[in-house]
Every structure is written in structure tokens, then in C-alpha cells.
Amino acid sequence: MKRKHTQAQHVEPAYTCRFEMAPVPSLRLPDDAMDPDAAYRFIHDELMLDGSSRLNLATFVTTWMDPQAERLMAETFDKNMIDKDEYPATAAIEQRCVCMVADLFHAEDLRDDDPSSAVGVSTIGSSEAVMLAGLAMKWRWREKVGKDWKNRTPNLVMGANVQVVWEKFCRYFDVEPRYLPMAEDRYVITPEQVVENIDEDTIGVVAILGTTYTGELEPIGEICAALDKVAADGGVDVPVHVDAASGGFVVPFLHPDLVWDFRLPRVVSINVSGHKYGLTYPGVGFVVWRSKEYLPEDLVFHVNYLGGDMPTFTLNFSRPGNQVVGQYYNFLRLGRGGYGKVMHCLSSTARWLGDQLRESEHFDVVADGSAIPVVSFRLKGDFGYTEFDVSHALRSYGWQVPAYTMPEGAEDITMLRIVVREGFSADLARALYDDTVTVLSHLDALKPQGHFNELEPFAH
């Protein structure tokens, strides 16, 4: 006797949309809603095609945090950082973070009367922080030169090795960039270059604590001393901004005696990335000024349509508060002792890797990881292949090690760079070195003659 099939009998696929062959639109909104599990699996599976963030040694940006930090950040995705009246606890946490950063950069002597009065703000990252610091310097220059400022062209003196955000600032806000060239054996600026390029229309000098290209520290103390002498001799009085995006959370712990911050009277502002060696996931940075006089009041806006008076000095308005919460977690969780241990550990791993590369027959090491945990290196000579070939070959093992040409003055130099971050263990460093040795032996046999020179972009 035949069994009757009822409507209740049906197949439940083990994998959502297993039998669904209709394509999902990618350039327009779908006509119908999608099951949430199906949408999740569709996007999740496509993202598997990305490289592993932990093996991305090109980026300075943090790729690992404590699970507890991740939980806190997930709980605060919905809080709007700008809405300080509605979320006073988040606003208080932001100001505490600003005060901690200012204290780390030795602003404490300037704030004895009110330890909570540090002048600064959290930002999406150092890119926004740079824009704000640049605007403050431009406004102070306008105040100094008076009403005639509209007939003059402000300029900013900096190395050709600056991160691209400085180029953006100059273009967006009508400032003439005066780029100081590198040399084939020098990848930072010198005090002599700075002094030769300043004038009455210079809004400031940018010095870098940990360059993007090599990880080296520029001679900030010497630059300030040279500018002090110019001013003392009756010349122009030019402020210095320190771009500490990469080194601001490293140097205070690795090199506490190095004077580069507000201990130098000529330094008026500093930016730093929380999402680099601040050890927080992408989306947070800070800019701090040495005192209120260096942040012109004209740049601060006051709004009350979210409830209460809110002073704001940011390029954007709404943004999630969870990045600041994540940064605050790190500050409390690690403290000075914890950050010190992390940075010494990362530096030790970087220096080991730098030593291994230096001892090989293939590489000259430019930065060995002792300044900040970054190793930059280049081929010693013509091996029949280029740094781009090395970079491409390492990708076959999963490693993302960027190869790129150097800026003006050293355009003929190609560099490789490894950023050692938390999560990149000594064991992974050994694995990377072993894979590099294997790659070099293959390239020595193949000699591809720079086949991949145009395929590997510079990565920040």
C-alpha cells in the first residue's frame, strides 16, 4: 500500500541555502528580505577570502584584543560618542583617556591645579587627529600675522616620509607643503633641513616618532633645539607638532629617558593612534595640546540640540563610543607596567627577527626593532630578483610583508617592512624567518628579475 506524503514532510538543509542557486544581488538592494542566518552565512563565507589579519605584517593596526575587551566593545556599539548628555559615563571615560594620554606625554606639570583639565580629544584615528592639530596651528598662524593672512600662503614643513594624511591636510585646507627630501642613506629629516625651510608663514614643523616607512625616530630634541636657537637669535618662532601615531604608546615604555614630548617647550601638540600600539581595535586616536592657548576657541563649536551644552572639536559628528571604551579597558587592564611588558616583549621579538635578517647573506637591516617594534630591511645587492618578488613569494605562505619604494630623495630604494604587534609571537617570528629562508632559496634558483614589481602596493 502506497504511503501518502503530507505537507509536513519537507527537507531542512543542513547548510542554509544549500539548494538555492539564485544569485544574491551585490550592486543593488535585493527585492525581498533574506533569512538572517542566510545573510550571515553568505557574508561570512565571502569574508573567508580575505587574508588573515594576524598574518598581516604590513599594518600597524591592532588585530588582537582580550576577549573581555571585545565583550565590552560589543556591549557599547550603540552608544554615540558625540551624545555626551545622554551618555555621561562614556563621555567621562573619554576625558579620562585624554588625561591619561596627556599625562603619559608629560603634561602633568601643566595641569597641577586641575588634573582633569587636559586639553585634547579622542578621534577616529590619528588621521583625524592630524587634521585637528594642523587646523589649530593654522589658526594660531592667522592670529599671529593678523588681518593680512588672506593675502599670504601658510606653509607646513615636514619630511617627504610623512604619512599621506599630512598631504591631505595641506590640500584640503590650503596649506603649502614643504617636503624635506630623504637621502639614499638617510630616511628621516635633519635639523639643518628644517631651519633652511622655515619662514614667517610657516605654521609649524612636523616631526615623526616612528616613521611609517622604516619605523625610525626623527631627532625631535635636536629639531626643537635648532628652532629655539633661530628664535633666540631674532628669527621666526615656529611651533613643533609631533606625529606619534606609531611611537606614542611605545617610546615612553621602551625609551623613557628620551625627551621628545611636552618636556620640550617648543612641542605644542601630539597625536597618537590608540588602534596601533595603544593595542585597541581600529577606530580610535587622540590629539592633545600642551595648554588651552594652543587650541584656538574659534575652532570649538558648542551645540545643545542633543541636550546640554556640548563643546566639540572634531571633523565628524556621530561615532560609536565602543572604541574609546576599548581603549579605557586597555589603560586600566595593563597600566604602565603592563604596557611596558608588552612593548619590551614585542621589541625583543622584533630585535631577534632583525638580528636573523642582518646575519643572512641577503639583507641590509635599516631598522632592527629597537626604536619601535618595526623591522625594515632591503636586499644587499642584485640577486636576480627584487624586494617585490620576496614580498609576493611570502604571500604564498600566508604572510603579508609589504614592499614599497621610498619617498623623494630615495626613490631608487625599495624597502620591506615587518610590524611586530601583540599577537605576533616569537614562535610566529621563527616561522616567518624559516619561510623567508625557503622563499629566498627558491628565488635564488628562479631569479624572476623583478616580475612582481608593479603588483605590490605600499601598505600602511
Side-chain angles (χ1 to χ4, degrees):
M1 190 175 177
K2 256 187 185 179
R3 288 189 178 178
K4 291 183 180 179
H5 292 278
T6 65
Q7 290 184 345
Q9 292 175 322
H10 57 277
V11 174
E12 287 286 356
Y15 197 85
T16 305
C17 293
R18 185 173 178 175
F19 304 119
E20 178 58 72
M21 300 301 294
V24 176
S26 59
L27 302 178
R28 62 176 179 82
L29 284 172
D31 294 328
D32 301 311
M34 183 183 290
D35 179 81
D37 287 333
Y40 170 81
R41 287 183 184 271
F42 177 77
I43 299 171
H44 173 82
D45 289 354
E46 187 168 359
L47 288 173
M48 289 194 299
L49 300 174
D50 274 344
S52 168
S53 62
R54 292 279 296 280
L55 300 183
N56 180 5
L57 305 181
T59 183
F60 285 80
V61 175
T62 296
T63 55
W64 182 88
M65 287 187 75
D66 283 343
Q68 294 88 340
E70 293 179 348
R71 188 160 68 245
L72 269 176
M73 294 176 77
E75 291 169 357
T76 51
F77 272 126
D78 59 336
K79 293 191 177 183
N80 189 353
M81 191 70 252
I82 199 67
D83 198 345
K84 293 175 172 35
D85 191 65
E86 185 68 23
Y87 306 116
T90 304
I93 285 174
E94 178 193 27
Q95 183 58 25
R96 290 175 205 160
C97 287
V98 169
C99 290
M100 290 176 179
V101 171
D103 177 70
L104 184 65
F105 298 161
H106 291 92
E108 66 273 13
D109 290 340
L110 306 172
R111 302 183 291 108
D112 285 341
D113 294 336
D114 184 3
S116 67
S117 66
V119 181
V121 66
S122 72
T123 59
I124 290 295
S126 257
S127 293
E128 183 187 7
V130 158
M131 297 284 184
L132 300 179
L135 283 171
M137 287 190 291
K138 183 179 178 181
W139 249 248
R140 280 180 52 80
W141 168 82
R142 282 173 45 170
E143 293 171 354
K144 183 174 71 172
V145 301
K147 295 180 180 179
D148 190 43
W149 71 266
K150 292 184 179 179
N151 300 318
R152 301 167 68 164
T153 302
N155 67 75
L156 184 66
V157 174
M158 53 193 163
N161 58 344
V162 292
Q163 212 267 349
V164 68
V165 66
W166 286 104
E167 183 179 353
K168 289 182 178 181
F169 165 75
C170 291
R171 188 175 302 178
Y172 295 166
F173 296 108
D174 295 321
V175 174
E176 174 200 345
R178 291 190 177 173
Y179 296 118
L180 309 179
M182 304 293 103
E184 292 198 356
D185 59 350
R186 174 184 55 76
Y187 310 117
V188 296
I189 63 175
T190 68
E192 293 76 17
Q193 285 180 300
V194 170
V195 170
E196 290 170 3
N197 284 273
I198 58 174
D199 59 30
E200 293 287 349
D201 291 322
T202 301
I203 66 172
V205 172
V206 177
I208 311 173
L209 192 77
T211 70
T212 296
Y213 285 89
T214 62
E216 295 173 280
L217 311 180
E218 295 199 313
I220 299 169
E222 290 86 341
I223 290 170
C224 288
L227 292 171
D228 287 343
K229 186 175 187 310
V230 170
D233 292 342
V236 292
D237 190 0
V238 178
V240 169
H241 171 84
V242 177
D243 184 346
S246 300
F249 284 123
V250 178
V251 174
F253 306 106
L254 285 187
H255 315 288
D257 296 329
L258 180 66
V259 178
W260 63 272
D261 49 20
F262 291 127
R263 286 171 289 181
L264 297 169
R266 193 156 294 277
V267 173
V268 300
S269 52
I270 302 171
N271 68 277
V272 65
S273 282
H275 61 219
K276 292 184 180 176
Y277 286 110
L279 309 180
T280 303
Y281 284 140
V284 64
F286 298 91
V287 56
V288 288
W289 287 268
R290 69 180 302 115
S291 67
K292 287 183 178 179
E293 81 175 275
Y294 296 100
L295 175 56
E297 181 62 29
D298 285 350
L299 293 174
V300 181
F301 291 83
H302 295 264
V303 297
N304 63 7
Y305 41 74
L306 293 177
D309 177 69
M310 289 187 304
T312 173
F313 179 38
T314 53
L315 293 183
N316 64 294
F317 198 64
S318 295
R319 63 185 176 94
N322 65 327
Q323 288 97 343
V324 169
V325 170
Q327 186 65 73
Y328 188 55
Y329 169 87
N330 276 343
F331 286 167
L332 296 188
R333 162 80 172 84
L334 294 172
R336 288 177 178 259
Y339 268 97
K341 288 180 180 178
V342 170
M343 297 309 156
H344 278 92
C345 179
L346 298 182
S347 178
S348 177
T349 300
R351 285 184 285 111
W352 177 86
L353 196 53
D355 289 343
Q356 299 303 115
L357 294 170
R358 183 187 288 112
E359 291 170 8
S360 74
E361 63 179 18
H362 289 83
F363 297 114
D364 281 326
V365 174
V366 174
D368 65 359
S370 57
I372 65 174
V374 173
V375 181
S376 53
F377 54 104
R378 52 183 298 230
L379 289 170
K380 283 183 178 179
D382 185 3
F383 289 91
Y385 50 87
T386 70
E387 288 85 356
F388 293 95
D389 295 314
V390 176
S391 175
H392 187 273
L394 283 170
R395 277 182 175 270
S396 66
Y397 289 84
W399 304 107
Q400 299 170 59
V401 177
Y404 48 88
T405 55
M406 295 296 285
E408 179 189 355
E411 300 96 328
D412 295 334
I413 303 296
T414 303
M415 199 72 65
L416 290 156
R417 187 192 67 208
I418 295 169
V419 180
V420 177
R421 302 183 310 277
E422 192 172 23
F424 183 70
S425 64
D427 186 58
L428 284 176
R430 285 189 288 271
L432 170 61
Y433 179 70
D434 290 343
D435 289 341
T436 302
V437 171
T438 302
V439 158
L440 292 172
S441 66
H442 290 165
L443 290 173
D444 285 336
L446 293 172
K447 300 189 185 302
Q449 295 295 336
H451 180 68
F452 297 103
N453 281 13
E454 303 301 323
L455 299 182
E456 178 65 30
F458 174 72
H460 176 47

